[in-house]
Amino acid sequence: MSINESDPSETAVIKEIYDSENAHEAFVDELERALESGCKFIIIEPPRLGDETARWIAVGNCLHKTAVISGVSAIICGFIWPKYPYSYMPFGVISFFTTGLYTVSWQFDPCVKYQVYTDSQRLARLPFFNTITSASPTVLVRKDDRNRKILHCTVMLASSILCAWRLCKLFNN
């Protein structure tokens, strides 16, 4: 999907309006409704909520990247140095652990479907961007994460199988 093809009706804007002492909780509730409704774009004006959400998404991205990079490292090291399990086992364990952590704590979170959008030039061209009152809003864009999950699960499985196979082969000889 091109960002210019967005439908303004599929955009949620969490406005920064402090009308009570529980305004932050109201912002969080509004964000959760927007995440669960599956809007293409979510614009978060309150800076505190935007920063918290961006950090949470960064945690998920870090878990994913760590799982993939460590899994690929385990596979490469397992083929280069098959007789030295200390060269590939730590990577395999890290990939297994981070994939498990992602699956248990992150996979079912509604934020998993969103990424923080930072291209300010393209953001300015969005049809709804002129209604934003905040100077630096956090913009979330809905992305399909199926390929991401398939990638890190496949890499983790391949690295785990390779590590187990290499260890069995090493100890049976």
Side-chain angles (χ1 to χ4, degrees), residues 150-163:
I150 290 170
L151 174 66
H152 77 245
C153 287
T154 303
V155 169
M156 181 275 301
L157 281 172
S159 67
S160 296
I161 290 169
L162 176 74
C163 288

Side-chain angles (χ1 to χ4, degrees), residues 63-83:
L63 286 173
H64 164 71
K65 288 176 184 174
T66 302
V68 171
I69 292 170
S70 60
V72 168
S73 299
I75 293 167
I76 292 170
C77 291
F79 280 112
I80 294 174
W81 300 292
K83 294 184 180 186

Side-chain angles (χ1 to χ4, degrees), residues 52-145:
E52 290 170 357
T53 305
R55 278 195 302 269
W56 183 243
I57 291 171
V59 167
N61 291 343
C62 181
L63 286 173
H64 164 71
K65 288 176 184 174
T66 302
V68 171
I69 292 170
S70 60
V72 168
S73 299
I75 293 167
I76 292 170
C77 291
F79 280 112
I80 294 174
W81 300 292
K83 294 184 180 186
Y84 303 105
Y86 55 83
S87 70
Y88 54 86
M89 282 301 293
F91 293 121
V93 169
I94 290 170
S95 179
F96 185 82
F97 176 73
T98 53
T99 300
L101 189 59
Y102 183 94
T103 301
V104 169
S105 67
W106 182 253
Q107 179 176 341
F108 302 109
D109 190 295
C111 274
V112 78
K113 301 281 186 194
Y114 290 89
Q115 291 296 316
V116 178
Y117 197 75
T118 56
D119 187 350
S120 58
Q121 291 178 344
R122 292 183 80 186
L123 282 174
R125 291 188 297 220
L126 294 173
F128 51 80
F129 200 72
N130 57 359
T131 63
I132 307 305
T133 58
S134 175
S136 59
T138 301
V139 178
L140 306 180
V141 179
R142 187 171 174 84
K143 301 278 185 172
D144 181 19
D145 67 328

Side-chain angles (χ1 to χ4, degrees), residues 18-59:
Y18 295 95
D19 55 358
S20 70
E21 62 185 46
N22 297 326
H24 185 72
E25 287 80 18
F27 298 153
V28 171
D29 290 342
E30 196 174 337
L31 174 61
E32 288 195 18
R33 282 192 301 274
L35 289 168
E36 290 175 6
S37 71
C39 296
K40 285 184 184 177
F41 295 95
I42 300 175
I43 300 167
I44 306 170
E45 288 187 354
R48 180 176 156 202
L49 181 61
D51 290 343
E52 290 170 357
T53 305
R55 278 195 302 269
W56 183 243
I57 291 171
V59 167

